[in-house]
Amino acid sequence: MSQLSRRSALGASATALAGLTLTAFARPNGPPGPPSAGHDNRAHSPEGHGHTPTQPKPFDEFFKGRRIQGAPSQHEGHHGVGYSVRIDGRELHVMRNADGTWISVVNHYETFAGPRAVARAAVVELQGAQLVPLL
Amino acid sequence: MTVRKNQANLSPAEKRNFVEALLELKRSGRYDTFVTTHNAFIMSDTDNGDRVGHRSPSFLPWHRRYLIEFEQALQAVNPEVALPYWDWTADRSPTSSLWATDFLGGTGRSRDGQVSDGAFAVTAGSWPVSVRVDGRGFLRRALGAGGRQLPTRAEVDSVLAMPTYDTAPWNSASAGFRNHLEGWRGVNLHNRVHTWVGGQMATGVSPNDPVFWLHHAFIDRLWAQWQARHPRSTYLPAATTPNVVDLNDVMRPWNDVTPADMLDHTRHYTYDTAA
């Protein structure tokens, strides 16, 4: 591959990531639709995604005492995410795998069916702790 | 010449020297720079974009170079130290000597996952977790929680038998040796071990747990074993692959080392037994 096609330095990538983190939920037309708390029993089923690049639906619910939210972001194609997840209002870095499964920075080596399942797994992992801003 | 040994065979003095070198790197601030680097790559490596450290062919040479750099930092503290490896197919229990108080300490307590014995317990005062994704500043583990099992030797052998290093699309969806060793497909070796340890090892800041280095030293050794088993196979892709580090491309963050430079580990270290 050409070196010119690659982001020039790690520093540039980190800066771009920080920008994504700060702005993902600051968009006026971003955030989620109506809450769907308590109505989802499909933790292990696909959440509106698959091998096609369709976006998972927004969600906004309480899980084990934490507010978890997910919504498409305005950064489609940038960093390959296009979807942002929050726990108690704080950004959870998530990533979609090529096979349509998802991971987060809190569960980075275990895949989940979708962003809601990733958010719930993070709540379990956090044991009440708050996320902190990404590096 | 650096000789990397099975952690199970280290003498008490070797364990002590390794732990003390880790604590000195932590005290100096050098250790946390390695955690920061790893997390930056793990968050930016994506299946459809640039990918260098993970979910890509360069997963293995990237981590080889990263471990060499870390081992050199340890050796700047104590030249006698080498990275040990953890053969988790053999030492597969939370009661293994790896997790004893004189080495890495044990699993976390049930209430909050906090490791509470050994040199890396927060209560010992020398191992604050500073590069983190949540508010908790203490080392956590949940060894084998939920009945999880480490990979078996038979599962490892099934992956070592794969003759092709890697395949398009060169990411977490690939067939071939690299992705099966990394664990995104198939029996799942490397990824599953991170999850089995739990705590920070399951997160993007996994090098906060010193077992990270012993896990990756064994993954690195499995690469060497695969090379010995398949002498006519080599690193792929060879050239001109978008977003992917080809054989002779340089790898970030060093920008002066290629996968080709990393194929022969014996230029840098050997193992205690033949690969």
Side-chain angles (χ1 to χ4, degrees), chain B residues 259-273:
Chain B
D261 296 330
M262 287 289 105
L263 297 183
D264 179 10
H265 70 279
T266 64
R267 294 164 58 192
H268 306 278
Y269 51 87
T270 58
Y271 286 107
D272 50 355
T273 55

Side-chain angles (χ1 to χ4, degrees), chain A residues 103 107-111, chain B residues 38 42 45 52-56 58-60 62-64 66-67 86-89 148-152 155-160 172 176-198 200-207 211-223:
Chain A
I103 57 173
N107 296 90
H108 213 284
Y109 301 92
E110 186 176 11
T111 59
Chain B
H38 186 269
I42 214 163
D45 294 325
V52 180
H54 306 86
R55 57 180 66 235
S56 60
S58 46
F59 168 71
L60 290 169
W62 190 93
H63 281 85
R64 177 165 283 177
Y66 181 64
L67 262 63
W86 168 33
D87 178 351
W88 25 254
T89 71
R148 291 193 177 94
Q149 298 293 314
L150 290 164
T152 64
E155 287 171 328
V156 166
D157 286 340
S158 74
V159 173
L160 290 178
S172 74
F177 168 69
R178 185 275 311 167
N179 197 37
H180 281 79
L181 178 60
E182 189 169 0
W184 299 111
R185 270 183 74 164
V187 296
N188 186 355
L189 302 181
H190 154 268
N191 282 353
R192 188 176 4 155
V193 176
H194 276 275
T195 304
W196 184 89
V197 173
Q200 282 89 0
M201 262 292 272
T203 75
V205 292
S206 47
V211 80
F212 175 94
W213 311 102
L214 285 74
H215 173 36
H216 271 278
F218 186 60
I219 293 294
D220 184 89
R221 187 165 186 271
L222 292 179
W223 184 21

Side-chain angles (χ1 to χ4, degrees), chain B residues 210-254:
Chain B
V211 80
F212 175 94
W213 311 102
L214 285 74
H215 173 36
H216 271 278
F218 186 60
I219 293 294
D220 184 89
R221 187 165 186 271
L222 292 179
W223 184 21
Q225 290 182 337
W226 177 85
Q227 289 174 308
R229 197 175 294 201
H230 304 281
R232 286 154 64 169
S233 300
T234 191
Y235 182 94
L236 295 170
T240 65
T241 315
N243 297 325
V244 170
V245 181
D246 296 314
L247 178 65
N248 293 303
D249 287 341
V250 295
M251 295 185 286
R252 290 184 287 119
W254 308 284

Side-chain angles (χ1 to χ4, degrees), chain A residues 1-3 5-11 13-14 17 21 79-81 91 93-99 101 103-112 122 124-135, chain B residues 36 38-47 50 55 110-113 131-136 140 148 171-173 184 190-191 194-195 199 201-204 206 240-246 249-250 252:
Chain A
M1 52 149 264
S2 159
Q3 291 303 311
S5 71
R6 194 175 287 176
R7 284 194 290 273
S8 60
L10 174 58
S13 298
L17 284 169
T21 301
H79 182 46
V81 179
E91 178 82 12
H93 181 268
V94 298
M95 185 183 294
R96 192 209 308 249
N97 296 317
D99 68 356
T101 60
I103 57 173
S104 82
V105 75
V106 174
N107 296 90
H108 213 284
Y109 301 92
E110 186 176 11
T111 59
F112 297 88
V124 171
E125 166 64 20
L126 287 167
Q127 294 185 288
Q130 290 287 359
L131 294 167
V132 296
L134 301 168
L135 299 172
Chain B
T36 299
H38 186 269
N39 191 47
F41 274 87
I42 214 163
M43 292 202 309
S44 65
D45 294 325
T46 59
D47 277 334
D50 272 354
R55 57 180 66 235
S110 60
R111 177 162 63 82
D112 59 1
V131 182
R132 59 203 197 197
V133 297
D134 60 63
R136 294 169 289 182
R140 293 177 295 112
R148 291 193 177 94
N171 63 18
S172 74
W184 299 111
H190 154 268
N191 282 353
H194 276 275
T195 304
M201 262 292 272
T203 75
S206 47
T240 65
T241 315
N243 297 325
V244 170
V245 181
D246 296 314
D249 287 341
V250 295
R252 290 184 287 119

Side-chain angles (χ1 to χ4, degrees), chain A residues 11 13 23 27 35 37-39 41-42 47 54 57-58 63 66 71 73 91 95-96 99 105-106 109 120:
Chain A
S13 298
T23 58
R27 300 280 174 154
H39 297 301
N41 297 313
R42 302 167 297 147
E47 297 175 13
T54 56
K57 293 182 172 57
F63 179 73
R66 311 290 298 269
S73 74
E91 178 82 12
M95 185 183 294
R96 192 209 308 249
D99 68 356
V105 75
V106 174
Y109 301 92
R120 289 177 170 184

